[in-house]
């Protein structure tokens, strides 16, 4: 068994060891340096952003990203005023990208401005002119704002040379401009459609219409008359009802402009021969005579020279004449009835 002396020596050594450890720890702690600032307290969960501490003067917290909305304060907690050098973070309502304005600062909705005050009568803003809202079929000649088609000098010279070669008697006349698109850039006045065949009354038209008329008479009308009506002799006169005239189609108050108003059309009312009666243009669809055959033949042949042929069978407006014109259409389309 250990003696009492041994026990006391052992306790003394243990106490000296503990004392040495305490002295060493005290010296180590004395040399350690504490931080200048201790840890900051964390905000309570129920106060949110309202309890966030004010940043220290020597540190500036980085601003929150722009796309992260700031937390919403509770209604019973007054938000803290931001420091002068730090802008307040915009508060955003849930589900919206723009900052929400405080309830107390929301202005009353104002009436939207729509330009100058409305005049008496209830007019609401500028209105489109009435003629611009109408379809072409309902517009008057004045509402269509048309212009005269220009004619090429070279093409006109070529056309008049062809007229002289056929023996057509005509003369040039000054440009016609009756307004609203009515007129002819280079008009001519025809007095003889072919040599020895008068055009009565003389017709004011464009050269292409006069050339189509001369070729139709030479190549179709005269041969058909020789075959169907030889006893009446030579064709001496072509009686025309209308050449140039400023109007809409069929003399209507609204609708498309007539080709007569552009110098492209001529209406043929009758044919006069050396002998016998004039052959008047009228409905002859059921006429079994050679006169009926003559009229149907020259009507059908007209589409070889004119782009439009309307005869007494087409409608009531043409019961007493042929309407012949040289209107240009897309694709060379022709209308013959």
């Amino acid at each position: 068994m250990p003696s009492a002396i041994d026990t006391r020596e052992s306790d003394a050594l243990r106490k000296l060891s503990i004392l040495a450890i305490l002295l060493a720890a005290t010296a180590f702690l004395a040399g350690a340096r504490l931080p200048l600032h201790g840890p900051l307290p964390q905000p309570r969960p129920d106060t949110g952003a309202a309890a966030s501490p004010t940043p220290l003067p020597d540190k500036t917290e980085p601003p929150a990203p722009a796309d992260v909305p700031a937390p919403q304060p509770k209604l019973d907690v007054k938000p803290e005023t931001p420091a002068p050098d730090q802008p307040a973070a915009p508060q955003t309502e849930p589900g919206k990208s723009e900052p929400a304005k405080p309830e107390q600062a929301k202005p009353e909705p104002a009436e939207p401005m729509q330009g100058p005050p409305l005049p008496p009568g209830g007019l609401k803003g500028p209105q489109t002119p009435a003629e611009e809202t109408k379809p072409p079929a309902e517009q008057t000649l004045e509402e269509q704002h048309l212009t005269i088609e220009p004619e090429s000098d070279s093409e006109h010279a070529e056309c008049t040379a062809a007229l002289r070669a056929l023996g057509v008697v005509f003369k040039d006349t000054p440009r016609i401009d009756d307004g609203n698109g009515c007129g002819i850039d280079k008009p001519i006045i025809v007095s003889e459609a072919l040599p020895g065949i008068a055009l009565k009354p003389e017709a004011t038209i464009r050269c292409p219409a006069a050339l189509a008329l001369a070729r139709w008479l030479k190549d179709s009308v005269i041969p058909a008359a020789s075959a169907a009506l030889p006893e009446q002799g030579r064709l001496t006169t072509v009686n025309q009802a209308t050449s140039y005239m400023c109007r809409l189609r069929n003399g209507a108050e609204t609708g498309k402009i007539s080709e007569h108003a552009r110098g492209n059309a001529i209406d043929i009312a009758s044919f006069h021969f050396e002998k016998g009666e004039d052959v008047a243009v009228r409905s002859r669809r059921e006429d079994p005579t050679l006169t009926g055959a003559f009229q149907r033949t020259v009507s059908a042949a007209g589409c070889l020279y004119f782009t439009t042929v309307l005869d007494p069978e087409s409608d009531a407006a043409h019961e007493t004449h042929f309407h012949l014109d040289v209107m240009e259409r897309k694709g060379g389309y022709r209308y013959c009835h």
Side-chain angles (χ1 to χ4, degrees):
M1 294 182 58
S3 63
I5 296 174
D6 292 335
T7 302
R8 285 194 300 269
E9 289 179 353
S10 177
D11 289 341
L13 289 175
R14 185 167 54 253
K15 289 180 181 180
L16 288 176
S17 298
I18 294 172
L19 181 60
I21 293 172
L22 291 176
L23 289 176
T26 302
F28 176 78
L29 292 175
R33 184 177 180 180
L34 294 176
L36 296 178
H37 305 286
L40 297 176
Q42 296 297 319
R44 293 176 56 188
D46 59 342
T47 59
S52 60
T54 303
L56 296 175
D58 59 344
K59 289 188 179 181
T60 303
E61 294 183 0
D67 55 348
V68 178
Q72 290 292 312
K74 295 180 64 176
L75 295 179
D76 57 346
V77 179
K78 186 176 180 181
E80 181 180 353
T81 303
D85 58 348
Q86 184 177 3
Q91 297 185 5
T92 308
E93 295 181 5
K96 294 187 179 180
S97 59
E98 294 183 1
K101 296 182 179 180
E103 288 296 329
Q104 64 273 17
K106 182 182 295 184
E108 291 296 328
E111 292 294 331
M113 292 301 293
Q114 301 292 337
L118 297 178
L123 180 63
K124 297 183 179 180
Q127 294 190 357
T128 305
E131 62 268 19
E132 295 183 8
T133 62
K134 295 180 182 178
E138 298 180 6
Q139 293 182 4
T140 65
L141 184 60
E142 292 77 10
E143 291 172 341
Q144 296 182 43
H145 308 295
L146 303 173
T147 57
I148 298 173
E149 295 291 337
E151 297 186 60
S152 164
D153 291 339
S154 59
E155 291 179 359
H156 182 71
E158 182 180 351
C159 181
T160 54
L163 288 181
R164 293 188 181 94
L166 289 169
V168 179
V169 178
F170 69 95
K171 62 182 178 181
D172 292 314
T173 189
R175 185 176 187 270
I176 300 173
D177 186 353
D178 290 332
N180 300 313
C182 291
I184 307 174
D185 190 24
K186 293 178 171 54
I188 62 172
I189 300 176
V190 180
S191 55
E192 286 191 14
L194 282 176
I197 302 179
L199 186 60
K200 292 185 178 180
E202 59 186 15
T204 301
I205 50 179
R206 289 181 62 234
C207 182
L211 185 58
L213 176 65
R215 289 172 173 171
W216 175 61
L217 292 172
K218 179 178 181 294
D219 297 336
S220 297
V221 176
I222 293 176
S226 299
L229 309 168
E231 71 282 356
Q232 293 195 213
R234 185 177 62 87
L235 177 65
T236 59
T237 305
V238 175
N239 298 303
Q240 62 97 5
T242 311
S243 54
Y244 169 76
M245 179 180 287
C246 181
R247 62 174 173 82
L248 297 179
R249 292 180 182 178
N250 300 330
E253 294 183 358
T254 59
K256 293 184 178 181
I257 191 170
S258 170
E259 291 304 303
H260 287 285
R262 298 185 181 277
N264 288 328
I266 188 166
D267 293 341
I268 304 301
S270 64
F271 302 93
H272 179 76
F273 297 88
E274 290 178 316
K275 304 173 184 178
E277 296 180 355
D278 291 356
V279 176
V281 177
R282 57 182 177 83
S283 178
R284 296 184 185 274
R285 176 180 296 173
E286 305 299 332
D287 187 344
T289 67
L290 286 173
T291 302
F294 164 76
Q295 179 176 301
R296 292 191 296 270
T297 298
V298 298
S299 175
C303 211
L304 300 175
Y305 310 94
F306 297 92
T307 59
T308 307
V309 177
L310 301 175
D311 65 14
E313 316 301 338
S314 63
D315 56 35
H318 300 89
E319 289 180 340
T320 59
H321 62 272
F322 293 138
H323 169 90
L324 311 170
D325 73 48
V326 291
M327 174 185 179
E328 293 184 3
R329 296 184 178 90
K330 293 181 180 180
Y333 171 73
R334 299 188 175 209
Y335 183 84
C336 303
H337 191 289

